[in-house]
Amino acid sequence: MAPTQLEIKTKALQRLIKEESYYKEEIKEQKANVEKLKQDSNVDPYDLKKQVEVLEDTERLLPTLYTKIEEFKENLEQFLQSYDGQEDLTESKAAVEEANAFIQASKK
């Protein structure tokens, strides 16, 4: 059976929220890698520069991700307001609440 619009919208929002934790973990690991390279006197400056660029690129992704989370959350909220189907809305409402928490945390 094909997924419903509710399932698609809910899963998309949940995926974006999960991605945020992956990006934060990647940033943490990349920072450790850059610090390790800075301590190594034999490291090629080009290699260090490239690793710093990778770190900066990943850090630049987070604001865009938070914007997408907000957009998907608003889309799901609008869908829920007009939804008159028989599906359980618990998971969808929980995804909206989790997205609200992420958005609030990102603004601090």
Side-chain angles (χ1 to χ4, degrees), residues 30-43:
Q30 191 61 27
K31 280 182 180 180
N33 186 33
V34 166
E35 286 305 314
K36 180 180 155 194
L37 291 175
K38 285 181 179 179
Q39 302 301 319
D40 186 354
S41 59
N42 297 328
V43 72

Side-chain angles (χ1 to χ4, degrees), residues 82-99:
S82 63
Y83 182 73
D84 60 354
Q86 300 300 315
E87 294 175 83
D88 181 16
L89 302 179
T90 306
E91 186 177 17
S92 300
K93 289 180 179 180
V96 168
E97 290 302 315
E98 190 174 2

Side-chain angles (χ1 to χ4, degrees), residues 18-93:
K18 190 180 283 190
E19 276 184 34
E20 191 264 356
S21 64
Y22 292 141
Y23 282 131
K24 284 197 169 184
E25 182 63 29
E26 184 177 331
I27 287 170
K28 181 180 168 185
E29 291 172 3
Q30 191 61 27
K31 280 182 180 180
N33 186 33
V34 166
E35 286 305 314
K36 180 180 155 194
L37 291 175
K38 285 181 179 179
Q39 302 301 319
D40 186 354
S41 59
N42 297 328
V43 72
D44 184 348
Y46 178 79
D47 290 339
L48 176 58
K49 180 182 175 194
K50 283 297 173 190
Q51 292 304 311
V52 169
E53 286 176 10
V54 169
L55 173 60
E56 291 169 349
D57 286 346
T58 305
E59 289 174 333
R60 275 194 296 272
L61 290 172
L62 283 179
T64 304
L65 182 64
Y66 290 128
T67 302
K68 282 180 101 173
I69 289 173
E70 191 160 5
E71 289 171 7
F72 279 61
K73 176 197 72 88
E74 289 172 6
N75 185 303
L76 179 56
E77 282 178 323
Q78 289 174 356
F79 185 81
L80 288 172
Q81 288 174 356
S82 63
Y83 182 73
D84 60 354
Q86 300 300 315
E87 294 175 83
D88 181 16
L89 302 179
T90 306
E91 186 177 17
S92 300
K93 289 180 179 180

